[in-house]
Amino acid sequence: MSNSPSNATPRPRPTPTARLLRLALGGATAIFLLWVLGHVLLLVFASILLAVALHGGTAPMSRLTGWPHFLCLGLIVVSVLAVLGGAVYFGGSRLAEQSSQLWDQLLTTAATGAEWLRQYEWGRAVVDGNTAEDIAENGGQLLRGVGSVVVSLVGVMAGLLIAMVAALYFAISPQLYIDGFLRLLPKARRHRAAEILAAIGQSLRYWLLAQG
């Protein structure tokens, strides 16, 4: 004898305490993931933002010229890289020259200050028996500090490069990645999620236009 729906045992509703525990557990898990994967999530967001910017320029260009989407995207990427390369080429050499001059001036000032302090007994105690050459050699410690800063800058540049490459992939075929994300959701939620993603993309495009 089959059980009718009226004879089925109703599913108990979770108590307020159980709902509160689930909420607390979900919040703690989200905070933990943000803490562990914070840099990854930041790179993903930066990639999406760059992809929206690239797609926002590619789509109107393709509509106006009738050229393929891939060709328009390639032209925009090449133009952006040319502008950035020119800025680095013309501004980077001047910055390096000014940095070298500043370093030489710092060493000269340190040596001059040490010689001036040696004219007085209290100054010799401050210098602690070091000569001007010794003080100049101690600049190596400062160089090591500068080296750590350079390593950090290299890490930042590597992150930017990863974000740019990922953004390029997103911009080439954005619908492919959107469909892949939607497949992770239940079928009943996909239509609504697609509408939300479209609204987010539109808002990001308007935000980028406002920033420009």
Side-chain angles (χ1 to χ4, degrees), residues 174-212:
Q175 195 60 43
L176 175 65
Y177 297 97
I178 292 175
D179 293 340
F181 173 75
L182 293 177
R183 289 180 181 275
L184 299 176
L185 304 176
K187 291 184 178 181
R189 306 277 184 175
R190 292 177 185 177
H191 180 71
R192 179 56 180 165
E195 294 178 347
I196 294 175
L197 290 177
I200 293 175
Q202 191 72 13
S203 299
L204 287 176
R205 281 192 289 270
Y206 287 150
W207 181 79
L208 290 172
L209 289 175
Q211 300 303 313

Side-chain angles (χ1 to χ4, degrees), residues 57-99:
T58 302
M61 183 177 179
S62 180
R63 286 195 301 266
L64 291 174
T65 60
W67 295 344
H69 174 84
F70 185 82
L71 176 60
C72 295
L73 178 62
L75 291 175
I76 291 177
V77 171
V78 170
S79 301
V80 172
L81 291 178
V83 172
L84 292 178
V88 171
Y89 177 78
F90 293 105
S93 58
R94 185 176 180 180
L95 180 61
E97 181 181 357
Q98 291 178 351
S99 300

Side-chain angles (χ1 to χ4, degrees), residues 14-205:
T15 62
T17 303
R19 288 197 295 265
L20 182 60
L21 288 176
R22 290 180 183 178
L23 182 62
L25 181 60
T29 303
I31 294 174
F32 177 76
L33 290 177
L34 287 175
W35 178 64
V36 175
L37 304 176
H39 293 85
V40 176
L41 295 177
L42 185 60
L43 283 177
V44 171
F45 178 75
S47 302
I48 293 174
L49 196 61
L50 289 174
V52 170
L54 291 174
H55 185 72
T58 302
M61 183 177 179
S62 180
R63 286 195 301 266
L64 291 174
T65 60
W67 295 344
H69 174 84
F70 185 82
L71 176 60
C72 295
L73 178 62
L75 291 175
I76 291 177
V77 171
V78 170
S79 301
V80 172
L81 291 178
V83 172
L84 292 178
V88 171
Y89 177 78
F90 293 105
S93 58
R94 185 176 180 180
L95 180 61
E97 181 181 357
Q98 291 178 351
S99 300
S100 177
Q101 293 176 357
L102 178 61
W103 176 249
D104 293 339
Q105 290 177 0
L106 287 175
L107 291 179
T108 303
T109 302
T112 304
E115 291 298 331
W116 180 80
L117 288 174
R118 287 184 176 282
Q119 298 177 8
Y120 307 94
E121 183 177 356
W122 61 269
R124 288 192 293 272
V126 172
V127 176
D128 195 22
N130 290 328
T131 63
E133 290 78 7
D134 294 333
I135 295 176
E137 290 178 359
N138 289 335
Q141 298 179 355
L142 182 59
L143 280 177
R144 286 191 291 271
V146 173
S148 63
V149 174
V150 171
V151 171
S152 299
L153 290 176
V154 170
V156 172
M157 296 300 296
L160 290 176
L161 180 60
I162 294 173
M164 291 177 63
V165 172
L168 185 59
Y169 276 96
F170 292 158
I172 290 175
S173 55
Q175 195 60 43
L176 175 65
Y177 297 97
I178 292 175
D179 293 340
F181 173 75
L182 293 177
R183 289 180 181 275
L184 299 176
L185 304 176
K187 291 184 178 181
R189 306 277 184 175
R190 292 177 185 177
H191 180 71
R192 179 56 180 165
E195 294 178 347
I196 294 175
L197 290 177
I200 293 175
Q202 191 72 13
S203 299
L204 287 176
R205 281 192 289 270

Side-chain angles (χ1 to χ4, degrees), residues 5-13:
S6 59
N7 296 330
T9 303
R11 186 176 181 180
R13 295 183 178 180

